[in-house]
Amino acid sequence: MNEIGMGISEAERAVEAAIVTVAAWSGKRLRYRAVLGGISNTNFQIEVEDDPVRYFLKVPGKGTEMFIDRKAAVAASKQAEEIGIGPMTFDYLNHLDIEIAEFIQGRRPSTHRDFSDPAIRGEAVRAYRRFHQAPALPLTKTVFDMIDEHDEQVRQLRGYQPPDHAWLRRQYLEARAALEASGLDLAACFNDPMPGNFLIGDDKSIMLIDFEYASNNERLYDLAIWSGEMFFSEQIDREIIEEYFGRYDTAHHARFIVLKALADIKWSTWAMVQNRISTLDFDFYKYGIWKHMRARSIITDPRWPSLLKTL
């Protein structure tokens, strides 16, 4: 753990300058260390003298204001706390767009392997359902809004576009038209199912962290993007649908698969924005290329036209 004054990097010095301004911590010995994980921001654990709470502090990454509404993220974090699926939050540095939450002890970040356990998958589905059933968030941002936003940002930044970008764009617009014609089912959505954003307890219970991308969005998109992130099979997708809705439905499954493709388009395009602006040590180009490839694999499936008709 570093003491105040020991910071070497720009991020460490920024954290020191910020935490010494917290009135509740005035006069206390403060220590901090970097926390690994995440591909957009710089994270730290904070220890405060005589305080049993350990704090998690997030410093926004360069350029993330292009697609993250920090006030909306704080509101979503607070809502998750209130319904019991997120950590305690603290408004000490909200004015600096620096999030502070409880550093939850006794839980560990999930891995992809964890979700091969049906009991853990079931807990995650129930956590999603609780968040979806909560009141609407202050920000409505659908997957369509996200894709259009990132597409324009890539254009302005002169970022990488795949050779078949125009074709992918047409497939997205066709899928969007079909989904909008069927009607969107908006709910408070998490929108960011990286494994590290699920904290697992010894009892296999789940808590969610990191609500930067949370918004009112298509309900099934939230489950579809989670499935894609965890590489679930279609059989597991069927089980998720049955667990969530209480029964399996082919129309829900068609919607699920189409939304998986849109999720990959969204994150592949997001990655190409990050590839132009981020200073973090992460290969966003490789990540984006892989997401493009998986989106194509879904769209070129012979079932794609019938899936759109089923919506």
Side-chain angles (χ1 to χ4, degrees):
M1 299 289 285
N2 286 350
E3 303 274 355
I4 298 297
M6 294 175 59
I8 297 175
S9 69
E10 180 179 349
E12 288 173 341
R13 289 193 293 268
V15 167
E16 290 186 6
I19 62 179
V20 297
T21 68
V22 175
W25 299 345
S26 179
K28 302 288 185 68
R29 180 189 180 196
L30 304 176
R31 300 196 301 168
Y32 66 94
R33 66 174 178 84
V35 176
L36 298 179
I39 57 175
S40 297
N41 309 293
T42 307
N43 304 318
F44 293 89
Q45 179 184 343
I46 311 295
E47 291 185 2
V48 181
E49 183 182 13
D50 298 326
D51 190 336
V53 176
R54 295 293 181 267
Y55 298 88
F56 178 84
L57 183 149
K58 180 192 302 177
V59 179
K62 179 183 177 182
T64 54
E65 70 280 356
M66 293 175 64
F67 35 78
I68 294 174
D69 183 326
R70 297 289 169 186
K71 289 182 173 58
V74 168
S77 298
K78 178 60 68 175
Q79 182 151 298
E81 175 190 352
E82 290 171 351
I83 63 176
I85 62 170
M88 290 190 297
T89 59
F90 304 88
D91 61 2
Y92 297 148
L93 295 174
N94 285 357
H95 62 291
L96 298 177
D97 285 337
I98 293 177
E99 292 184 38
I100 298 181
E102 176 190 11
F103 189 94
I104 300 176
Q105 302 182 74
R107 290 179 177 269
R108 61 175 178 80
S110 76
T111 64
H112 289 87
R113 182 185 295 273
D114 285 314
F115 289 102
S116 65
D117 183 338
I120 292 177
R121 285 202 306 273
E123 286 292 322
V125 170
R126 287 185 281 278
Y128 270 114
R129 189 191 297 119
R130 289 177 66 186
F131 195 60
H132 294 169
Q133 291 172 340
L137 297 170
L139 174 67
T140 296
K141 193 173 189 180
T142 68
V143 60
F144 311 138
D145 298 325
M146 298 173 194
I147 291 173
D148 290 346
E149 177 182 70
H150 298 331
D151 205 48
E152 176 61 18
Q153 289 165 342
V154 169
R155 189 190 66 78
Q156 291 182 0
L157 293 166
R158 298 186 178 182
Y160 174 81
Q161 292 181 330
D164 60 350
H165 173 262
W167 176 83
L168 279 169
R169 180 77 182 171
R170 287 196 302 273
Q171 305 312 308
Y172 150 63
L173 291 173
E174 185 177 357
R176 174 176 182 168
L179 286 163
E180 290 182 326
S182 68
L184 296 185
D185 181 10
L186 295 181
C189 288
F190 186 39
N191 294 329
D192 190 14
M194 286 187 60
N197 291 342
F198 300 84
L199 299 185
I200 300 178
D202 292 337
D203 59 354
K204 298 187 178 181
S205 63
I206 295 277
M207 291 190 74
L208 303 179
I209 59 172
D210 195 352
F211 293 84
E212 287 186 327
Y213 293 95
S215 67
N216 303 315
N217 193 6
E218 162 66 38
R219 181 188 309 270
L220 264 179
Y221 172 82
D222 221 8
L223 297 174
I225 188 178
W226 172 52
S227 172
E229 183 65 35
M230 301 304 165
F231 303 93
F232 291 152
S233 66
E234 286 197 26
Q235 178 55 42
I236 290 178
D237 291 347
R238 294 185 185 96
E239 294 170 7
I240 289 171
I241 291 167
E242 184 173 3
E243 173 71 31
Y244 187 90
F245 292 103
R247 65 181 179 87
Y248 172 77
D249 179 89
T250 55
H252 281 148
H253 197 183
R255 198 176 190 88
F256 203 98
I257 295 172
V258 170
L259 288 165
K260 271 190 173 184
L262 296 194
D264 280 340
I265 291 174
K266 181 265 188 255
W267 286 103
S268 61
T269 315
W270 170 90
M272 295 313 168
V273 176
Q274 289 280 33
N275 189 53
R276 296 290 291 175
I277 65 174
S278 178
T279 58
L280 300 180
D281 184 18
F282 185 84
D283 193 343
F284 288 103
Y285 176 81
K286 181 178 179 181
Y287 178 86
I289 288 294
W290 180 82
K291 290 283 190 180
H292 275 134
M293 290 173 60
R294 193 169 66 174
R296 293 186 193 98
S297 74
I298 299 173
I299 295 169
T300 56
D301 186 306
R303 297 175 297 168
W304 181 255
S306 64
L307 291 172
L308 296 183
K309 290 178 182 178
T310 306
L311 298 180

